[in-house]
Amino acid sequence: MIKSKYNWKCQQPDRQKAEELAGQMNISVILASLLINRGMADAEFAEKFMRGGSGELHDPFLLSGMQEAVPRILHAIAAGERILIYGDYDADGVSSTSLMIRLMRHLGADFDYYIPHRSKEGYGLHNHALDLAREKGTSLIITVDTGISAVSQIAYANELGMDVIVTDHHEPPSELPQAYALINPKLSHCPYPFKGLAGVGVAYKLASALIGEVPEEWLQLVALGTIADLMPLMDENRVLVSRGLKSMDKEALIGAAALLRIAGGSDKGVNSTTIGFSMAPRINASGRLSHASRAVSLLTTEDLDEADEIASELDLLNRERQQMVEDIVQQAVSRLEAASSEGKQIPSVIVIAGEGWNVGVVGIVASKILERYYRPTIILAVNPETGECKGSARSIPGFDMYEALTGCADLMHHYGGHTAAAGMSLHKDNLAAFEERLNEYAAQVLEPEHFVPVLSADLECSLNEITIPLIQELELLSPFGMENSCPRLLIRGAELVETRTMGREGNHLKLTLRQNGAVVEAVAFGKGVLGTFITEGARVDLVVEASINEWNGSVKPQLMIQDLSVSHLQVFDFRSCPSPFKIMDDFATKLRQLPSGQTARTAVVCRQSSAERYRPDLVDSLLWVYDEEAGLHESGMRPGLAVDDLSQITSLFILELPEYSAQLDSVLTSIPNLERIILVHGQQDRYERVEIPSRDSFKTVYAWIRHYSDKELTEEQMLNQLVRQTGFTKRMMRLTLEVFEELEFIIRDNGRLRLNPSPSKQPLETSARYLQLGALAEMEQVMLRGKAVQVAEWMRSRTAAVS
């Protein structure tokens, strides 16, 4: 058994409506079902959605503030005024700044740009930067992806005689800055019909208002910033990103092409995944570990050599960033686990601060901690000299991070962001109160169900339905991203054919699955540890995204696993291994590496007669012995462990087989939450084997007993003669004689064995010993000589029978 990480929810399409829509649009029923599930049951609307990049864009002058901003900018350019573009250091801010630089160049403006240093200055406008701009003769500032919360800073700019035009997309605060113009679709009084633009999207609308037809290649920057900032790929964003990706696929900007090359990709076949996982992390690495100006230079250069040089720099920074993130994550996890081991619960809102942590990566760390514990998380870097804390927050559905921070505004120097992500700064002396207040807020808004992550699947299908034509058809829904995710398909009961790990450290998992005649490979990144715990022949349930794998001329479907589970008991076969205790130690170590939420309590079971011999080798393990009447009997238990703790055991090592099959049934009954059984018992000596009894074999034994009954033989001599004549083992013969004795066919008298002269006529099936012998023979035949798959099926059938 392997538990899923998420609680799966799968939509149930209306089959009749799907078939009708499929007929109207000449598409598959699966694609039609997806469209209906996503609110596109109307054929005309669905067709328009799938055309993507051919959709119409909204009038930029519908944005409030645009009517004031455009003439002011055109006047500044005509009058030769000095203009400053003030951006942000993330990928959206870099993209916005780069687009505005291209716009200013296009208009022939006298301009400069400024992006604050993430760790030295932090987010937003800063008075010292405004002072510097004024000294250089700046009279107009245009912000991109920032500024909506800069009330005091913009007031200061006004005092210095500079006008400020704010273009932003972040949540507006209750008090707005007194800027020359505020352009933000989220302003309550703004009539713009789409509120989901990225910062670069707002910058693009300003460019559209200023010059009309914007060069198509600039949309590559819009696609980059929109995808990187996790904006919804719906409405206007879908159009902008679709066109941007097509432009990049046709002829990427020089800097974008260099970035794609260094990331090991191609500038052909670029999609939202390429941007999200290859380009955006490297752009962000510039602002996280160095200065975002290097990324701006990359996206605005026309020099091939310069582009290659900067792309290499960003790639190295990204690798450094990855290691830094891993180190901080380990430190944060260690703190949380240490607190948990002391009996403290993981708080509803996790707040962790560390001295020396790089402020540029705390947002990524927060995302990884949230993913592990599924709690709203804030990670802060503490300046040891000043005590200043700068942090990033990530949240879960149901917890509005921006609203929660607003309730702590008096404890912070600055904050801003969205419902799901935010940034803030405060002094370390306020950390305790900050954490307490956030958790008080959480207690008011979060219920237990909020702490269970949910993974939504679009529909359920089988492996044979996931074909190359279907995957190509599903691409009509792209580009994929926020609010238009890549279709997730739920597959139940696929048979595992083969398991392999991938990557230098075996961090990734590749499964070969079979169902309804189709054999498909499936890949799970970061789930390599699960490979040890999925057995051949297991029935696997998966939520996947489908893609096409092209390699050496071969084209075939490939599944990208989002989550998986095995809902049945699994059996792992290490029978007759030379070092069973080493196998047990290694397996138990791997169990402890299972992801959070996967239980891994282990126990070992053996016969009572062997317990004393095994106990020294099992100091750190729970040792139990078979007990036919009581189920299991504890042996050498650690202090404080109660019999009730059997319910916590999920993994059982069978070190020895029981003497009777009923004892094995008792084990299965006594451990209700058993997920896996690990067989480490040895092979039985062939002289001890028992056979499934038959009527003829019993008749033969009875006949030989009659033959020897007039001989003066002891019971042991009689036993030896019977073994020689029948071919039974001594153990089998003894068990057979116990059946005869129970049925009163024989009498044991003073060490001798004789036939009962007047036996009652009883069928063999009435003997409990006879039934016990049959069950024992079946158990040993399977458990000792059956193949691993047969053992697993038999054990699962036994579990079902006794549950």
Side-chain angles (χ1 to χ4, degrees):
M1 180 180 294
I2 293 179
K3 296 177 182 177
S4 61
K5 179 178 180 179
Y6 298 92
N7 180 17
W8 299 350
K9 291 187 177 180
C10 186
Q11 300 185 63
Q12 300 297 324
D14 186 314
R15 183 74 184 186
Q16 182 176 348
K17 289 183 179 179
E19 290 175 349
E20 291 175 0
L21 185 61
Q24 294 170 12
M25 300 182 66
N26 193 28
I27 58 176
S28 69
V29 174
I30 288 182
L31 178 57
S33 299
L34 283 166
L35 289 168
I36 291 172
N37 286 347
R38 296 186 179 199
M40 290 175 278
D42 178 76
E44 183 179 350
F45 181 81
E47 192 70 44
K48 181 179 178 181
F49 178 85
M50 289 193 296
R51 285 199 301 269
S54 61
E56 295 182 359
L57 299 176
H58 304 305
D59 183 352
F61 285 98
L62 291 175
L63 283 161
S64 61
M66 194 68 80
Q67 294 284 357
E68 294 78 19
V70 168
R72 178 66 185 89
I73 295 170
L74 293 176
H75 173 77
I77 293 171
E81 293 183 46
R82 182 75 169 172
I83 300 174
L84 177 68
I85 302 165
Y86 198 112
D88 187 27
Y89 38 66
D90 67 1
D92 187 15
V94 166
S95 302
S96 306
T97 303
S98 300
L99 190 149
M100 291 301 293
I101 287 172
R102 289 178 178 272
L103 174 64
M104 293 293 112
R105 288 175 180 171
H106 181 85
L107 292 170
D110 178 14
F111 75 97
D112 196 1
Y113 79 91
Y114 188 92
I115 295 178
H117 193 285
R118 182 191 286 262
S119 59
K120 295 179 181 179
E121 297 173 277
Y123 176 82
L125 274 66
H126 298 278
N127 287 352
H128 67 268
L130 300 176
D131 288 332
L132 180 62
R134 191 67 188 121
E135 289 174 10
K136 292 182 177 181
T138 299
S139 57
L140 176 63
I141 297 174
I142 304 173
T143 75
V144 286
D145 194 34
T146 189
I148 197 64
S149 300
V151 176
S152 63
Q153 293 88 350
I154 290 177
Y156 183 65
N158 292 338
E159 293 176 9
L160 295 177
M162 294 184 292
D163 291 335
V164 181
I165 295 173
V166 172
T167 73
D168 201 352
H169 74 126
H170 293 95
E171 295 292 339
S174 56
E175 180 184 359
L176 296 173
Q178 297 300 308
Y180 187 91
L182 293 175
I183 304 174
N184 184 334
K186 291 181 180 175
L187 288 167
S188 59
H189 60 271
C190 180
Y192 199 72
F194 180 57
K195 307 297 183 182
L197 289 172
V200 69
V202 179
Y204 175 84
K205 302 308 292 188
L206 177 58
S208 300
L210 284 164
I211 64 175
E213 188 172 345
V214 176
E216 196 72 6
E217 62 266 24
W218 294 8
L219 282 166
Q220 297 180 35
L221 300 172
V222 179
L224 173 57
T226 301
I227 293 171
D229 217 41
L230 303 179
M231 290 296 101
L233 295 191
M234 302 294 289
D235 198 277
E236 193 168 37
N237 280 349
R238 180 172 173 78
V239 179
L240 293 170
V241 170
S242 295
R243 288 171 55 185
L245 290 174
K246 288 177 182 176
S247 173
M248 193 179 296
D249 197 46
K250 182 179 180 182
E251 185 177 1
L253 294 170
I254 289 174
L259 203 57
L260 288 166
R261 286 194 298 273
I262 201 69
S266 167
D267 57 0
K268 301 303 177 186
V270 179
N271 55 31
S272 54
T273 300
T274 309
I275 288 180
F277 291 93
S278 294
M279 299 179 72
R282 289 169 171 81
I283 292 292
N284 275 321
S286 176
R288 293 185 191 281
L289 270 64
S290 180
H291 197 285
S293 60
R294 293 302 284 162
V296 171
S297 297
L298 175 67
L299 296 180
T300 56
T301 187
E302 299 298 333
D303 185 288
L304 288 170
D305 292 337
E306 182 186 19
D308 285 336
E309 179 184 345
I310 300 174
S312 296
E313 287 180 25
L314 300 191
D315 186 57
L316 290 173
L317 285 172
N318 189 52
R319 296 184 189 188
E320 182 182 345
R321 183 272 306 169
Q322 290 172 327
Q323 185 58 55
M324 191 176 294
V325 167
E326 181 62 26
D327 292 343
I328 299 175
V329 167
Q330 289 302 321
Q331 293 178 51
V333 169
S334 295
R335 289 198 207 173
L336 289 168
E337 296 299 329
S340 179
S341 65
E342 295 173 1
K344 298 178 183 178
Q345 291 187 337
I346 303 295
S348 298
V349 181
I350 295 173
V351 179
I352 303 178
E355 290 189 358
W357 290 355
N358 190 304
V359 68
V361 302
V362 292
I364 304 175
V365 175
S367 296
K368 290 185 175 293
I369 296 298
L370 181 149
E371 182 181 0
R372 185 182 180 101
Y373 296 101
Y374 205 65
R375 299 284 192 275
T377 301
I378 298 176
I379 304 294
L380 304 108
V382 183
N383 186 319
E385 296 179 359
T386 66
E388 183 73 5
C389 304
K390 293 181 180 179
S392 286
R394 300 293 183 268
S395 193
I396 62 176
F399 189 89
D400 187 326
M401 184 59 74
Y402 185 82
E403 182 177 321
L405 291 176
T406 300
C408 306
D410 59 307
L411 299 174
M412 296 179 288
H413 302 142
H414 174 83
Y415 75 99
H418 310 289
T419 299
M424 77 294 298
S425 64
L426 67 158
H427 195 272
K428 67 177 183 180
D429 292 345
N430 290 334
L431 279 176
F434 180 63
E435 180 178 8
E436 182 179 358
R437 200 174 298 179
L438 287 171
N439 277 281
E440 288 175 352
Y441 175 81
Q444 299 172 11
V445 299
L446 293 179
E447 300 294 337
E449 58 267 23
H450 286 117
F451 297 107
V452 180
V454 173
L455 183 64
S456 296
D458 291 276
L459 55 87
E460 184 173 340
C461 64
S462 58
L463 285 182
N464 59 300
E465 294 179 283
I466 306 176
T467 61
I468 296 291
L470 174 68
I471 298 171
Q472 292 171 332
E473 192 180 41
L474 295 181
E475 278 295 316
L476 295 171
L477 300 176
S478 66
F480 300 121
M482 297 298 291
E483 296 188 22
N484 184 47
S485 60
C486 182
R488 294 193 186 111
L489 308 173
L490 173 59
I491 300 164
R492 296 190 187 277
E495 179 189 358
L496 180 66
V497 178
E498 184 184 13
T499 305
R500 285 191 292 143
T501 56
M502 305 185 302
R504 285 181 297 180
E505 298 180 1
N507 293 331
H508 312 304
L509 184 66
K510 176 179 278 190
L511 307 179
T512 302
L513 302 164
R514 177 168 50 215
Q515 188 179 53
N516 298 340
V519 178
V520 181
E521 290 183 343
V523 174
F525 290 109
K527 298 184 186 295
V529 67
L530 296 181
T532 302
F533 304 105
I534 312 180
T535 55
E536 180 184 344
R539 297 292 173 174
V540 186
D541 300 333
L542 315 98
V543 177
V544 302
E545 295 177 358
S547 61
I548 297 174
N549 183 21
E550 300 184 35
W551 180 255
N552 286 341
S554 172
V555 180
K556 56 185 179 181
Q558 178 174 273
L559 307 180
M560 310 307 293
I561 300 173
Q562 307 304 301
D563 199 12
L564 64 83
S565 71
V566 176
S567 58
H568 59 75
L569 176 73
Q570 293 190 95
V571 176
F572 298 83
D573 186 11
F574 297 99
R575 290 173 294 179
S576 299
C577 57
S579 303
F581 296 106
K582 184 179 185 305
I583 292 290
M584 292 160 63
D585 288 342
D586 291 346
F587 201 91
T589 298
K590 292 177 180 178
L591 279 168
R592 289 191 287 270
Q593 297 171 4
L594 281 171
S596 178
Q598 303 275 7
T599 51
R601 194 75 180 268
T602 63
V604 181
V605 63
C606 67
R607 296 180 181 179
Q608 177 72 63
S609 58
S610 307
E612 291 298 326
R613 176 159 49 96
Y614 291 140
R615 188 177 296 118
D617 295 304
L618 298 169
V619 174
D620 296 325
S621 300
L622 304 180
L623 179 61
W624 301 82
V625 297
Y626 298 107
D627 187 321
E628 185 175 359
E629 296 182 359
L632 282 180
H633 176 73
E634 64 270 26
S635 175
M637 293 168 54
R638 288 176 289 184
L641 183 68
V643 174
D644 290 345
D645 286 325
L646 279 167
S647 63
Q648 299 177 21
I649 294 173
T650 55
S651 301
L652 178 69
F653 294 95
I654 295 185
L655 190 54
E656 289 181 320
L657 289 183
E659 296 177 0
Y660 301 104
S661 63
Q663 292 175 319
L664 183 61
D665 290 343
S666 295
V667 171
L668 300 176
T669 303
S670 301
I671 308 178
N673 298 317
L674 198 57
E675 297 177 3
R676 57 193 67 86
I677 294 175
I678 306 95
L679 307 178
V680 290
H681 60 271
Q683 290 290 351
Q684 191 178 55
D685 190 298
R686 65 187 182 90
Y687 297 108
E688 291 296 313
R689 290 182 182 177
V690 296
E691 302 173 8
I692 297 177
S694 67
R695 287 181 175 277
D696 289 340
S697 64
F698 270 74
K699 287 180 180 179
T700 299
V701 172
Y702 191 83
W704 281 108
I705 293 175
R706 181 184 296 277
H707 174 75
Y708 288 110
S709 62
D710 58 349
K711 306 268 191 298
E712 293 296 322
L713 300 177
T714 65
E715 181 175 334
E716 188 64 23
Q717 291 172 330
M718 173 79 78
L719 181 66
N720 291 332
Q721 290 294 335
L722 293 174
V723 166
R724 185 168 60 253
Q725 297 296 340
T726 63
F728 280 7
T729 66
K730 273 193 173 183
R731 180 165 172 251
M732 177 68 186
M733 186 56 69
R734 285 195 175 96
L735 293 171
T736 301
L737 294 178
E738 288 180 7
V739 174
F740 283 167
E741 183 179 24
E742 182 186 4
L743 293 173
E744 298 180 354
F745 291 172
I746 62 173
I747 299 172
R748 283 187 164 102
D749 184 21
N750 294 321
R752 295 183 181 275
L753 187 152
R754 58 186 177 83
L755 290 175
N756 186 347
S758 55
S760 59
K761 294 183 178 181
Q762 300 181 66
L764 284 172
E765 291 79 5
T766 62
S767 166
R769 290 289 188 184
Y770 175 79
L771 298 176
Q772 192 178 66
L773 174 59
L776 174 63
E778 178 188 3
M779 178 191 74
E780 292 192 354
Q781 181 174 328
V782 174
M783 297 289 285
L784 293 171
R785 297 179 287 281
K787 294 182 179 180
V789 174
Q790 294 173 315
V791 175
E793 287 295 330
W794 187 81
M795 291 291 285
R796 286 196 284 269
S797 69
R798 299 304 301 169
T799 303
V802 300
S803 61

